[in-house]
Amino acid sequence: MTSIDTPTAPATAALLGLLLLTAATAPAAAATDTSVRLAAAEEPTAVGETTTVAVVVESADGGVGAYDLTVAVEGPDVASVVDVAVAGGPGARDVEIAPDGSNASVRAALMDTDDAGEVTVATVTVRGESVGSADLAVSVETLGDERGRAYAVTGDGGRLGSR
């Protein structure tokens, strides 16, 4: 996997792991239920062109302070992940994009986001590789608010077409 914007100090990586572990093990009743979705333009992406897809937490209550998620393309011959931007000014982040562009793993902590409502936590840039369509899906390992309390998450995906 190719690393983008990865912390270089082992202490930062250990802190990121600790913060994500805290979000994953916090009491379930401490934060609300929410869903995570991908939001993209309705228009197809031309071959060789890129489009940006937002990763959106639907109903934050206490902001988003940490997360561990993966965005995957089912059909990297049609579309591929080429970049990821992490929102919320995280103090620690780790982004890895697969060499074939089939997925991107994103981990972030110490974020400062809007405290309520919809929160965009990242934007993923996807390039059209060939004519066809490909499913783009998000899966969330952990998601926590700014106080370290875990959200109960449901995830879903979107559909991306190339022409």
Side-chain angles (χ1 to χ4, degrees):
M1 299 230 165
T2 303
S3 179
I4 297 175
D5 201 14
T6 304
T8 56
T12 303
L15 174 63
L16 178 60
L18 178 62
L19 290 168
L20 292 172
L21 179 62
T22 301
T25 59
T32 60
D33 292 351
T34 191
S35 61
V36 178
R37 67 178 170 84
L38 298 173
E42 294 293 322
E43 301 160 9
T45 303
V47 173
E49 298 292 322
T50 61
T51 190
T52 303
V53 179
V55 180
V56 179
V57 175
E58 287 280 316
S59 50
D61 182 19
V64 176
Y67 64 86
D68 181 354
L69 61 83
T70 300
V71 175
V73 178
E74 295 175 16
D77 54 324
V78 174
S80 62
V81 176
V82 295
D83 195 19
V84 177
V86 180
R93 67 178 149 231
D94 181 37
V95 176
E96 295 180 5
I97 299 175
D100 66 355
S102 62
N103 67 67
S105 297
V106 187
R107 291 167 294 282
L110 302 172
M111 298 171 62
D112 183 17
T113 66
D114 289 340
D115 289 336
E118 287 190 356
V119 175
T120 297
V121 296
T123 54
V124 179
T125 303
V126 179
R127 180 177 51 231
E129 300 294 349
S130 66
V131 176
S133 62
D135 289 326
L136 187 66
V138 60
S139 60
V140 180
E141 183 68 30
T142 58
L143 178 69
D145 68 13
E146 291 178 11
R147 295 180 64 187
R149 299 173 298 189
Y151 285 105
V153 178
T154 61
D156 64 341
R159 185 145 181 97
L160 176 70
S162 297
R163 57 179 159 93

